[in-house]
Amino acid sequence: MRRLGLLAAAGTVALVLGVTVPARAQWIVFDPNNYVQNVLTAARELQQISNQITSLQNEAQMLINQAKNLANLPYSSLQQLQSSIQRTQQLLAQAQRIAYDVQQIDRAFSTTYAPVTGSQSNQVFITNAQSRWQNSVAALQDSLRVQAGIVGNLETNRIQTSALVTSSQGASGALQATQAGNQILALQAQQLADLTAAVAAQGRAQSLEAAQRASAQDQGREQLRRFLTPGQGYQSQDVRMFH
């Protein structure tokens, strides 16, 4: 019995010695003020990042807008406008007889359209009258040819106007809109040039016709004077009136 008691006591000691004593618990301390500061700091950093992203987006959009504003208009009517102007200029340059030349006009009005003198022969009267009539007919023909050429430009102008208006309305930036507007102004200038050419051609024809009538009246008076003046050697068959 005693032995059993010793064994039991030894087991108890061993049991007591075998029990592990738990380590001292570690406590986490929560600081509310520090937590709030950390949250505010993180929020400010997020706001700064958001602002930077917005700024980069604005800069990117600005670059896109600048690229649009600097983009050239893909459509150009310059070649067609130049062709129309050249056609009108060619028609004016083809003017017959008395053309648009100051020196040539001065020579004509110092000879063919000059006031009649008593020393001029009847043959000179006839020759000058025929020349004046031919000048008037040629000027009328030239005027009609210029007008026909301008009418031929109308369809080209209509097409160019439609294309330029469409380009202007679809312009992606300021430069394209400006270029479209400039081309429309150029088209209007070409139309004014055509109108000027028509007025000039018509005015030339009217001026030569008026000069012909004035010269014919002057020549008619001289012919009548010679016919009525004895000793002038004027034959009845030489009496010719050109109006």
Side-chain angles (χ1 to χ4, degrees):
M1 292 295 293
R2 184 179 180 182
R3 186 177 179 180
L4 291 173
L6 291 172
L7 290 172
T12 301
V13 173
L15 180 62
V16 172
L17 292 175
V19 175
T20 303
V21 179
R24 185 174 58 184
Q26 296 180 358
W27 298 93
I28 299 175
V29 179
F30 176 73
D31 187 349
N33 292 330
N34 186 50
Y35 176 75
V36 170
Q37 291 298 326
N38 290 337
V39 170
L40 292 176
T41 300
R44 284 193 292 269
E45 291 178 351
L46 287 175
Q47 184 61 43
Q48 290 177 355
I49 293 174
S50 177
N51 292 339
Q52 291 176 354
I53 292 174
T54 302
S55 177
L56 291 174
Q57 289 176 340
N58 292 335
E59 290 179 1
Q61 186 61 45
M62 182 177 63
L63 292 174
I64 293 174
N65 292 336
Q66 289 178 352
K68 290 181 178 179
N69 288 333
L70 295 176
N72 288 322
L73 189 70
Y75 180 80
S76 175
S77 63
L78 180 60
Q79 183 176 358
Q80 289 79 2
L81 294 180
Q82 289 178 335
S83 297
S84 296
I85 292 176
Q86 288 174 355
R87 284 193 295 269
T88 302
Q89 288 178 329
Q90 289 173 355
L91 290 173
L92 292 175
Q94 294 170 1
Q96 307 169 77
R97 301 179 70 83
I98 301 178
Y100 303 94
D101 181 84
V102 175
Q103 294 181 351
Q104 187 178 9
I105 293 172
D106 289 342
R107 285 195 301 269
F109 276 80
S110 65
T111 55
T112 307
Y113 294 88
V116 175
T117 64
S119 61
Q120 290 177 333
S121 66
N122 296 332
Q123 185 59 44
V124 171
F125 286 172
I126 296 172
T127 301
N128 287 344
Q130 289 177 338
S131 181
R132 290 192 296 267
W133 175 78
Q134 291 171 352
N135 290 342
S136 297
V137 173
L140 289 172
Q141 182 183 11
D142 291 338
S143 177
L144 291 174
R145 294 178 72 247
V146 171
Q147 293 174 20
I150 292 173
V151 171
N153 288 338
L154 291 178
E155 179 61 17
T156 300
N157 293 341
R158 183 193 67 79
I159 295 174
Q160 298 308 315
T161 300
S162 177
L164 288 172
V165 170
T166 301
S167 298
S168 176
Q169 293 175 342
S172 61
L175 181 59
Q176 288 190 358
T178 301
Q179 289 177 335
N182 289 340
Q183 291 190 50
I184 291 175
L185 291 176
L187 176 61
Q188 292 176 347
Q190 181 266 321
Q191 292 172 334
L192 287 175
D194 276 355
L195 178 60
T196 301
V199 171
Q202 182 65 25
R204 170 174 171 261
Q206 291 175 349
S207 297
L208 289 176
E209 178 64 22
Q212 179 195 7
R213 289 197 299 269
S215 296
Q217 291 176 357
D218 186 29
Q219 179 176 317
R221 286 192 295 270
E222 176 62 19
Q223 287 177 319
L224 181 60
R225 185 191 68 79
R226 293 185 183 187
F227 180 77
L228 297 178
T229 302
Q232 289 289 325
Y234 206 96
Q235 302 298 322
S236 60
Q237 63 266 23
D238 291 330
V239 179
R240 302 173 184 233
M241 303 294 289
F242 294 90
H243 300 282

